[in-house]
């Protein structure tokens, strides 16, 4: 399931994040790529322990913690602190699948990358190229969202970022371990949740609502690992 989450950051917050990030010192993205991904990756990345990255990352996680679509779509259990990349001058990231497990810097905790997230920080008209292309069994999906919007997709997907031939593409990216590991189950839960919300709006007090809500929670009980 690919899910676009609008307005994770307000335009003001985007501006604030970009000002901080533009003054930071960036490093070659290949330093953090695995052995196979190394040759595919041509971009810049903020060093993982960079204070600006930590500060902007906290703002993003704080916004997400009260975002209903993120919570019901991802059912987050653990979220890796956001990382930041920068593509320009033909920079790209060829087809790859992300690592399965990430250590949380400064702790012994690990995050299984059930879900990959990209939060766009540049406006689409500021750069040419730089599309995120994600493959699934229905074909390939091209994503380029307004600044402050985010896309999440299964961590198991083959994906790439096409060359940025003009301007600069700034983004935050990170991974989420979900309470519900299987993508198709998360998709059904989101669909059920949306349907319940819509009935609750159009027919408040309808007798089926508590039972449907009960099924939702019972499915989570059945499928989640905590
Ligand atoms: Ni990736």
């Amino acid at each position: 399931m690919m899910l676009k989450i609008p307005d994770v950051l307000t335009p003001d917050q985007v501006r604030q994040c970009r000002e901080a990030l533009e003054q930071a010192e960036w490093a070659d993205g290949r330093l953090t790529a695995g052995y196979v991904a190394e040759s595919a990756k041509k971009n810049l990345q903020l060093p993982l322990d960079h204070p600006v990255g930590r500060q902007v990352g906290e703002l993003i996680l704080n916004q997400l913690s009260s975002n209903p679509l993120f919570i019901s779509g991802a059912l987050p259990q653990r979220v890796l602190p956001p990382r930041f990349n920068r593509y320009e001058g033909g920079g790209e990231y060829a087809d790859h699948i992300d690592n399965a497990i990430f250590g949380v810097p400064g702790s012994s905790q690990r995050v299984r990358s059930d879900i990959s997230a990209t939060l766009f920080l540049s406006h689409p008209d500021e750069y040419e190229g730089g599309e995120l292309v994600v493959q699934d069994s229905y074909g390939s999906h091209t994503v380029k969202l307004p600044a402050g919007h985010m896309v999440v997709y299964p961590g198991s997907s083959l994906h790439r970022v096409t060359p940025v031939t003009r301007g600069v593409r700034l983004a935050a990216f990170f991974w989420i371990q979900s309470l519900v590991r299987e993508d198709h189950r998360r998709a059904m839960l989101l669909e059920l949740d949306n349907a319940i919300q819509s009935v609750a709006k159009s027919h408040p007090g309808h007798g089926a609502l508590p039972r449907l809500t009960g099924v939702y929670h019972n499915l989570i009980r059945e499928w989640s690992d905590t």
Side-chain angles (χ1 to χ4, degrees):
M1 165 179 63
M2 175 179 268
L3 187 62
K4 292 169 187 168
I5 306 174
D7 303 315
V8 169
L9 299 180
T10 65
D12 258 1
Q13 289 170 328
V14 170
R15 208 169 311 128
Q16 196 186 317
C17 294
R18 285 179 51 151
E19 274 171 19
L21 290 168
E22 269 153 21
Q23 285 170 21
E25 273 175 42
W26 294 73
D28 190 327
R30 278 171 295 196
L31 295 174
T32 56
Y35 175 69
V36 176
E38 195 178 74
S39 60
K41 194 173 181 185
K42 196 180 153 214
N43 67 2
L44 295 173
Q45 204 166 301
L46 204 62
L48 294 187
D49 54 355
H50 201 293
V52 167
R54 262 210 303 272
Q55 176 202 335
V56 175
E58 271 170 29
L59 171 70
I60 294 169
L61 294 186
N62 190 40
Q63 287 297 107
L64 286 173
S65 67
S66 60
N67 185 302
L69 184 53
F70 174 70
I71 292 167
S72 58
L75 297 165
Q77 181 177 31
R78 291 182 201 152
V79 185
L80 201 80
R83 303 175 175 193
F84 299 87
N85 58 23
R86 180 183 168 109
Y87 293 82
E88 60 194 314
E92 64 177 314
Y93 200 162
D95 271 333
H96 66 282
I97 291 180
D98 297 335
N99 289 347
I101 307 283
F102 290 90
V104 178
S107 91
S108 59
Q109 212 179 42
R110 291 187 294 182
V111 172
R112 187 184 63 230
S113 55
D114 297 326
I115 299 172
S116 298
T118 297
L119 171 64
F120 290 78
L121 291 169
S122 297
H123 303 283
D125 55 4
E126 287 178 293
Y127 60 99
E128 210 75 59
E131 284 95 2
L132 172 67
V133 182
V134 181
Q135 318 269 4
D136 67 14
S137 48
Y138 296 105
S140 73
H141 307 269
T142 299
V143 190
K144 187 172 184 175
L145 298 179
H149 294 212
M150 186 169 105
V151 63
V152 296
Y153 55 96
S156 54
S157 326
L158 190 68
H159 60 280
R160 67 177 185 274
V161 176
T162 65
V164 172
T165 53
R166 176 185 66 82
V168 176
R169 177 199 195 265
L170 270 184
F173 63 103
F174 53 100
W175 294 273
I176 297 130
Q177 179 169 331
S178 179
L179 288 164
V180 175
R181 182 177 184 154
E182 296 83 359
D183 178 64
H184 67 281
R185 288 181 171 162
R186 288 194 304 272
M188 283 192 281
L189 287 167
L190 178 62
E191 183 64 12
L192 178 57
D193 188 35
N194 285 341
I196 292 170
Q197 301 298 334
S198 128
V199 174
K201 219 178 235 172
S202 61
H203 298 79
H206 193 289
L209 279 170
R211 286 151 65 198
L212 287 170
T213 308
V215 170
Y216 177 81
H217 289 299
N218 288 337
L219 285 173
I220 294 206
R221 208 184 323 278
E222 198 76 19
W223 290 340
S224 62
D225 34 54
T226 59

